[in-house]
Each structure stands twice: as structure tokens, then as C-alpha cells.
């Protein structure tokens, strides 16, 4: 159900708002809830978001330019460093910073015999303490504590909020469930209070500044994240080789895209037996892109092995990380066509049943990360080469 917009009152306010936090805490889900549309891709795999994504929300007399950002983490690749820098850059540019965390239970410290040193309680995440120690000292910072729906005993919430309050004097603290869209209006109200007075910079119907081809690549990647596990989601990138608008009404948008992976084994997994995995990914991605563009799409997917693309700055540039997404590719080796025709529609039905499976509902963390979340084992430091 659409959220009722508050009455516009007082002078207009407008500004940039960075959603910052560790991977997987729900920043993209929060952006989507604020926009009331699933613009940003969401998955249970940490480090889903790879670059800053703008979503514009008009809320009463305020215009909020919300920037979803990659989760800040301990980087092990150039890609990780570029992602962290995108998040830090957004925080530097923002008028207001929204620091997002979640209430996932943390492991407790134990004695040698295994007995817990302290009762199992919710504590601020150690990674958050690192990130908050130098976050935007000179501008409003709001704390959003997400995923409160997972708390069976809501009495744990207040001590947790109090504990975060001791870490930093937040300008506002709002517990939410972004997934259930609970508390979102309050978050927007609080942000609006801290925005500078000024005219709106976007049209009332503007949602983002990225072109449809950017989302075409992201929605293919989203399906890869949902369909694969272990190292494949982290090793996959998508480039758009061709994006052609329809020449006449009723015709389809034509998209050619290449999925880059780093090794032959990952390519085999992605293709699947007789191309089944690729077909499933292609169909689901095409449907998502069709919703975005509001018309028919023909999507052709290739898979290419592009060794060590995550370590190569020129490759990252080509793939659009660290700047506006674009980029043609070379050496495509495999093609699957997922296009809307009678045969494909038939296949859609079958793929849908599988696709409806909500992988996100598992709420599990991916153990096979090749880049680390800032977790309890961290010594409270990012990599030496990573300026904070
Ligand atoms: N239970 C519950 N799960 C949530 C909530 N919000 C997000 N999630 C889930 O948490 C996971 C991560 O959500 P994202 O929105 O992708 O998190 P993110 O912070 O953008 O992640 P990165 O891209 O890694 O930075 C997904 O499986 C979401 O469905 C919530 O309010 N409650």
C-alpha cells in the first residue's frame, strides 16, 4: 500500500543523504522501502551493492536525494577498495548521514571452557564501533537499527539503542524493519528535519540518475546472486554490450549483456547443465527489466572468463565501477537467448516456480566470503592500505 505523503509545510528542504553501514544490514532494502519500489538490488549475499545509487524521495516539503552505498568492509581486492571509496565519498558529499545497522545476534565471548563471559545480549557490532569512530564528525548522523522484526523479545531493543547512544551522540535513533516497511515514515521525517533549506533539485517524478542500461546490468547480477553461491556471486560482473530502444511501438528493447567471471569453473556453474542455470537467470532478469522499462525486452546473455577482473583497475573502469556504468567487452564465448516468444513464455512458467523461492528469507550470512565483513574477529582496524 502506498505510504501517505505528509502535508507539505514550512520552507522547502533539499539535500543529499548517504546510507552508510556494514554489508548486509539492509541499506538497499531501506532505500527501496523509502522509494516504494525495488530499484536497488537486494540479496542475502554481503557486498551486493557495488557502487553508490541515487534514489530521490519527495516527502512533504522535503526532497531527499538518498544514496545507497556499498557496505563498508575489510577489502582484499581492488574492487573492494573501490567499493569502500564509493561509500566514503557518498558520506563526504552528504548533508545528512544515515548510519544503518541491524539487530542480528552477535557471538558472545567465551571462557576457555566454553561458558559465556557475558549473558547473550545484543551489543553494538564491533565493526560499527570502527566505522563510527571517524564517521562524518561535522554533520548530522542518524542511526537506523534495522531488522527489528527478527527480535523475538523486543525488550532487548532498548539496551541496544542505549549502548549505541554511548558510542556517539546521534541526532536521531530509529528502529525499523525495512523489509516490512515499518518505521520508514519516521526515518524520512527525521532526515527531513536535518536537511538544509533550499529549492528542489529534481522533478517530482525523478527517481534516479542512472540510465536503464545500468539497471539492466544490475538486474542480471541480482539473479546471479540469487541463483548461485560461494565464490560465484563475488566473482561475477555484468557489462552491457548493446542496449537498443525499440524503433516502433510494441517492439522490444534489445539488450546484449556479458557476464564476466574469473575462472572456467565459475563459468561452468553459471551455465549449468545444458544451459539451465543461464536460462533461469536470463528469464528472471528479463522480467525484472521489463517491469522497469514498461515494455518487452529481448535479453541475450554471454558468459566470458575475464581473469582477475576484480584486481585490475582498467577492467574495473571498463565495468563501470568507480564511475558511471558503461563498457563494451571482448571475447564472449557463450550465448543464451531469453526472449519473450511463445516458447520462452512457456519456459517462464516453469522458471517462475523456482524463482519464487525467496532466498533472502533464509537470512543466512554467506560463510564463503572472499572479502570480509568487519566482524568480531577483526582487531578493530581496516587494512593498513585503507585510509579510514
Ligand atoms: N528480517 C529482515 N531482513 C532484512 C531486513 N532488511 C533487509 N533484510 C535482508 O537482509 C539482507 C541484506 O539486505 P540488503 O538490503 O541487500 O543489505 P545491504 O546493507 O544493502 O547489503 P550490501 O549490499 O552488502 O551492503 C537481504 O537478505 C534482505 O532481505 C529487515 O528489515 N528484516
Amino acid at each position: 500500500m502506498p505510504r501517505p505523503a505528509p502535508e507539505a509545510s514550512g520552507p522547502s528542504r533539499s539535500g543529499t543523504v548517504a546510507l552508510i553501514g556494514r554489508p548486509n544490514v539492509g541499506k538497499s532494502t531501506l532505500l527501496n522501502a523509502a522509494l516504494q519500489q525495488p530499484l536497488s538490488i537486494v540479496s542475502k549475499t554481503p557486498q551486493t551493492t557495488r557502487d553508490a545509487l541515487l534514489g530521490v524521495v519527495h516527502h512533504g516539503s522535503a526532497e531527499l536525494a538518498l544514496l545507497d552505498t556499498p557496505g563498508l568492509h575489510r577489502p582484499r581486492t581492488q574492487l573492494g577498495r573501490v567499493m569502500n571509496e564509493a561509500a566514503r565519498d557518498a558520506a563526504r558529499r552528504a548533508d545528512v548521514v544515515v548510519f544503518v545497522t541491524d539487530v542480528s545476534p552477535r557471538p558472545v565471548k567465551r571462557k576457555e571452557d566454553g561458558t559465556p563471559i557475558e549473558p547473550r545480549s545484543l551489543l553494538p557490532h564491533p565493526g560499527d564501533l570502527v566505522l563510527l569512530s571517524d564517521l562524518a564528525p561535522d554533520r548530522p548522523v542518524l542511526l537506523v537499527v534495522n531488522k527489528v522484526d527478527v527480535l523475538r523479545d523486543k525488550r532487548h531493543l532498548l539496551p541496544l539503542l542505549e549502548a549505541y547512544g554511548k558510542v556517539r551522540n546521534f541526532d536521531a535513533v530509529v528502529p525499523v524493519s525495512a523489509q516490512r516497511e515499518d518505521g520508514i515514515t519516521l526515518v524520512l521525517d527525521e532526515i527531513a528535519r536535518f536537511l538544509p533549506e533550499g529549492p528542489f533539485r529534481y522533478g517530482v517524478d525523478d527517481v534516479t540518475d542512472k540510465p536503464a542500461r545500468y539497471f539492466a546490468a544490475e538486474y542480471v547480477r541480482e539473479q546471479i546472486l540469487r541463483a548461485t553461491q560461494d565464490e560465484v556471486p563475488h566473482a561475477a560482473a555484468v557489462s552491457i554490450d548493446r542496449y537498443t530502444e525499440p524503433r516502433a511501438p510494441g517492439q522490444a528493447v534489445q539488450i546484449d549483456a556479458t557476464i564476466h567471471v574469473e575462472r572456467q569453473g565459475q563459468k561452468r556453474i553459471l551455465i549449468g547443465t545444458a544451459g539451465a542455470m543461464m536460462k533461469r537467470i536470463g528469464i528472471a532478469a528479463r522480467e525484472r527489466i521489463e517491469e522497469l522499462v514498461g515494455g518487452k525486452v529481448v535479453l541475450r546473455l554471454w558468459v566470458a572468463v575475464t581473469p582477475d577482473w576484480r584486481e585490475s583497475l582498467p577492467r574495473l573502469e571498463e565495468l563501470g565501477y568507480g564511475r558511471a556504468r558503461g563498457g563494451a567487452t571482448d571475447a564472449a564465448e557463450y550465448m543464451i537467448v531469453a526472449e519473450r516468444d511463445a516458447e520462452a513464455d512457456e519456459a517462464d512458467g516453469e522458471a517462475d516456480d523456482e524463482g519464487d523461492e525467496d532466498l533472502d528469507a533464509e537470512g543466512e550470512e554467506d560463510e564463503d566470503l572472499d572479502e570480509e565483513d568487519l566482524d568480531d574477529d577483526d582487531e578493530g582496524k581496516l587494512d593498513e592500505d585503507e585510509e579510514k
Side-chain angles (χ1 to χ4, degrees), residues 24-29 43 47-49 71 146-147 149 177-179:
N24 222 35
V25 292
K27 300 176 293 299
S28 302
T29 310
S43 87
Q47 297 150 38
T48 293
T49 305
N146 189 27
K147 307 192 189 178
D149 56 284
S177 169
Q179 199 173 57

Side-chain angles (χ1 to χ4, degrees), residues 77 231 234-236 260-267 304-311 370:
T77 62
E231 86 271 28
H234 295 285
H260 302 261
V261 287
E262 293 190 318
R263 292 198 293 271
Q264 284 293 341
Q266 295 161 349
K267 180 176 159 184
V305 176
T306 306
D308 292 331
W309 66 262
R310 281 180 290 176
E311 292 297 353
D370 53 356

Side-chain angles (χ1 to χ4, degrees), residues 21-30 41-50 68-72 146-150 176-180 359-361 363:
R22 286 176 292 110
N24 222 35
V25 292
K27 300 176 293 299
S28 302
T29 310
L30 180 64
I41 67 172
V42 167
S43 87
K44 67 169 188 169
T45 305
Q47 297 150 38
T48 293
T49 305
R50 287 185 177 160
D68 183 16
T69 68
L72 285 159
N146 189 27
K147 307 192 189 178
V148 296
D149 56 284
V150 303
V176 305
S177 169
Q179 199 173 57
R180 295 194 183 168
L359 297 174
D360 292 347

Side-chain angles (χ1 to χ4, degrees), residues 212-213 215-217 219-220 240 242-246 250-257 281-301 337-341 344-345 348:
R213 60 184 291 146
F215 292 101
Y219 294 166
V220 172
I240 302 297
R242 182 173 75 115
Y243 187 102
T244 312
E245 297 285 356
Q251 286 188 354
V253 176
Q254 303 280 335
I255 304 174
D256 291 358
I281 289 169
I283 290 169
R286 180 197 23 91
E287 287 174 351
R288 183 93 154 87
I289 302 165
E290 282 179 338
E291 267 172 44
L292 179 83
V293 301
K296 283 189 200 168
V297 167
V298 175
L299 175 66
R300 295 182 195 84
L301 294 179
V337 181
E339 60 188 17
R340 185 176 284 283
D341 56 25
D345 276 342
D348 283 1

